[in-house]
Amino acid sequence: MSELTPDQQFELITRNLQEVLNPQIIKNVLEVEKRPLKVYWGTAPTGKPHCGYFVPMIKLAHLLKAGVEVTVLVADLHAFLDNMKAPLEVVQHRAKYYEFLIKSILTSINVPVERLKFVLGSSYQLTPEYTLDLFKLSNSVSQNDAKRAGADVVKQVANPLLSGLIYPLMQVLDEEYLKVDVQLGGVDQRKIFVLAEENIQSLGYKKRAHLMNRMVPGLMQGGKMSASDPNSKIDLLEEPKTVKKKINQAFCAPGNIEDNGLLAFVKNVLGPIHELKYGDGTFEFFIDRPDKYGGPITFKTYQELEDSFTKEELSPVDLKSGVADAINVLLAPIIEEYKNNKDFQDSETAGYPAPVAEKKKVKKVKDRGSRYPGAKEESPAPASAPVEAVTEKLEETKL
Ligand SMILES: N[C@@H](Cc1ccc(O)cc1)C(=O)O
């Protein structure tokens, strides 16, 4: 059990979250029952994981630090039920790939993974008990409610499939079958979490608390970092040159801190990772700025960085270069581990992301950002990396 007091545990468990539903359930376990809290986070192995994954990973780190028993659900059947984003033939393979990546992200930010439990959805979701519970739940949730619950999670298509209604019901049942007190997810899971809170007791099961992390904004104006828009996201196995290119094309207007995915990334990912590595409350963000623009600079608090950007002392180009460098440092050990892992090297035929191609030609792009306030941001060139095409095409043909 943790050395921390229940208050300290609660602070870590809920730190930097966007929302918590039913915190009293958590407090009761920590303060009254005095046993380790049990939390699960589920992920459906669909597209290629991107940098947005750092946010739940940081939360898993907080949970482990707080002595929580954490389960990661690799929701293979959910990946299949979401418009066959992962067809059954490839889902097992992708599930392994996700588990590998999650472990390597955590290891790269110094989080020990031994205490993490990984569970594959199909390992219990095909049992008679689970099936009967699914049927029972389908008799108490209306089509409309199930549809609404999945609206931000299940891909919305012109002719919605029935599987999209089964998906949220199964996510409700997972809370019981994984024997947890709490489910963690992004705020995009909110409607499913509410569905769970409103319906799980009809099966005689207890209501769970829900933790919701923030979504990392995409690199383009508006929206979250999304697997379906390659320009909005940076994959975990993205090559350094591509990272530079994508960050250079990101929307980042001088002095504008409101609609700025890069600052949000520093605040919600780079800052907390620095803190995890070097101790509570610490922050450091370095920009290797050319001498003629003021020389290298280190910000010691996020606020300093934001202020400097607001006052236009720090230009978008320099912010971009600092963020791109930091992302490349973050991704290097993950890419390294991937390249050293033989299991994933010849996986293209399984509809699975191809290895980071060393030979892949990356067209040289001109530096598109501007160092000067008021200069126009150009729209991004389409990034049609062959790596992308493999998964996307497979997904399309199976739809
Ligand atoms: N809905 C989650 C995946 C998930 C699936 C099943 C669960 O029980 C939990 C989470 C996502 O969008 O990635």
Side-chain angles (χ1 to χ4, degrees):
M1 191 64 197
S2 170
E3 313 266 289
L4 306 172
T5 66
D7 281 349
Q8 288 168 326
Q9 289 175 291
F10 187 81
E11 187 280 319
L12 255 178
I13 291 166
T14 57
R15 185 183 292 174
N16 201 24
L17 289 174
Q18 182 146 336
E19 198 181 347
V20 180
L21 301 176
N22 289 307
Q24 66 283 4
I25 292 178
I26 300 173
K27 288 194 165 147
N28 189 55
V29 171
L30 301 175
E31 291 166 14
V32 183
E33 295 187 40
K34 296 190 192 304
R35 60 168 174 85
L37 187 74
K38 294 183 191 143
V39 179
Y40 95 95
W41 171 74
T43 182
T46 53
K48 288 189 294 172
H50 49 73
C51 280
Y53 272 67
F54 278 108
V55 176
M57 293 303 106
I58 292 165
K59 186 41 63 185
L60 296 190
H62 291 159
L63 296 176
L64 290 169
K65 241 179 140 177
V68 171
E69 284 178 14
V70 183
T71 300
V72 173
L73 170 68
V74 182
D76 54 348
L77 291 180
H78 281 85
F80 171 64
L81 288 169
D82 185 356
N83 294 277
M84 271 196 279
K85 278 185 186 166
L88 282 182
E89 308 87 80
V90 306
V91 80
Q92 238 69 26
H93 202 54
R94 286 207 190 154
K96 277 199 216 119
Y97 172 65
Y98 266 59
E99 179 170 339
F100 166 81
L101 270 187
I102 290 165
K103 283 184 183 158
S104 82
I105 303 172
L106 288 168
T107 309
S108 77
I109 55 172
N110 296 352
V111 179
V113 292
E114 298 74 47
R115 280 175 43 227
L116 265 192
K117 192 166 120 195
F118 281 83
V119 176
L120 198 59
S122 58
S123 70
Y124 65 87
Q125 288 161 342
L126 298 168
T127 58
E129 297 76 19
Y130 190 95
T131 309
L132 186 58
D133 272 342
L134 181 60
F135 293 164
K136 284 186 192 165
L137 199 54
S138 71
N139 256 336
S140 61
V141 176
S142 72
Q143 288 182 34
N144 264 337
D145 287 353
K147 185 170 173 233
R148 262 199 298 267
D152 300 330
V153 171
V154 175
K155 183 172 161 190
Q156 300 297 296
V157 292
N159 192 11
L161 295 164
L162 188 55
S163 50
L165 302 181
I166 300 172
Y167 182 117
L169 298 188
M170 286 176 54
Q171 190 163 341
V172 171
L173 290 181
D174 291 339
E175 298 187 340
E176 173 64 24
Y177 281 76
L178 293 170
K179 296 274 171 255
V180 294
D181 309 296
V182 182
Q183 182 177 177
L184 161 70
V187 270
D188 57 343
Q189 310 294 312
R190 193 180 196 284
K191 292 177 180 148
I192 296 181
F193 289 176
V194 171
L195 184 81
E197 295 204 359
E198 287 174 352
N199 291 283
I200 200 163
Q201 285 163 303
S202 74
L203 297 168
Y205 301 142
K206 63 175 188 184
K207 190 154 113 177
R208 268 67 181 191
H210 292 96
L211 303 176
M212 283 169 265
N213 61 241
R214 298 164 197 285
M215 309 304 293
V216 169
L219 298 173
M220 297 303 132
Q221 203 166 9
K224 61 177 179 183
M225 203 174 261
S226 152
S228 51
D229 177 3
N231 285 321
S232 80
K233 56 151 191 174
I234 289 176
D235 286 329
L236 292 170
L237 300 176
E238 207 88 82
E239 287 180 277
K241 276 192 228 161
T242 318
V243 170
K244 278 257 169 217
K245 184 179 108 181
K246 286 192 176 181
I247 296 290
N248 277 339
Q249 293 168 345
F251 177 79
C252 177
N256 179 357
I257 55 164
E258 295 310 322
D259 200 2
N260 193 321
L262 301 178
L263 283 176
F265 194 79
V266 177
K267 187 174 187 183
N268 296 307
V269 177
L270 299 178
I273 287 177
H274 189 278
E275 183 174 282
L276 275 168
K277 281 190 175 167
Y278 302 103
D280 270 3
T282 63
F283 178 95
E284 199 172 286
F285 181 64
F286 171 73
I287 301 177
D288 192 11
R289 189 167 55 179
D291 284 336
K292 57 178 167 177
Y293 299 111
I297 182 166
T298 301
F299 295 96
K300 289 286 188 189
T301 65
Y302 172 76
Q303 200 54 49
E304 262 180 48
L305 169 69
E306 202 182 272
D307 290 347
S308 171
F309 193 78
T310 311
K311 287 189 233 145
E312 298 189 21
E313 287 165 9
L314 179 68
S315 72
V317 168
D318 293 323
L319 174 64
K320 284 177 176 182
S321 119
V323 171
D325 288 347
I327 291 180
N328 282 331
V329 169
L330 218 53
L331 301 188
I334 303 172
I335 294 175
E336 184 64 26
E337 226 188 306
Y338 180 76
K339 283 185 177 164
N340 290 335
N341 191 309
K342 294 280 165 289
D343 287 0
F344 301 118
Q345 299 306 310
D346 57 342
S347 40
E348 231 165 316
T349 46
Y352 186 74
V356 178
E358 252 140 11
K359 319 183 248 7
K360 202 175 80 188
K361 278 191 216 121
V362 178
K363 263 203 244 135
K364 243 188 133 45
V365 284
K366 274 209 253 123
D367 191 349
R368 283 161 186 275
S370 166
R371 209 175 284 278
Y372 303 104
K376 187 167 143 274
E377 291 285 322
E378 284 180 40
S379 59
S384 48
V387 185
E388 205 60 57
V390 181
T391 9
E392 298 296 335
K393 212 166 127 207
L394 210 131
E395 282 172 18
E396 264 167 35
T397 47
K398 294 286 174 185
L399 277 178

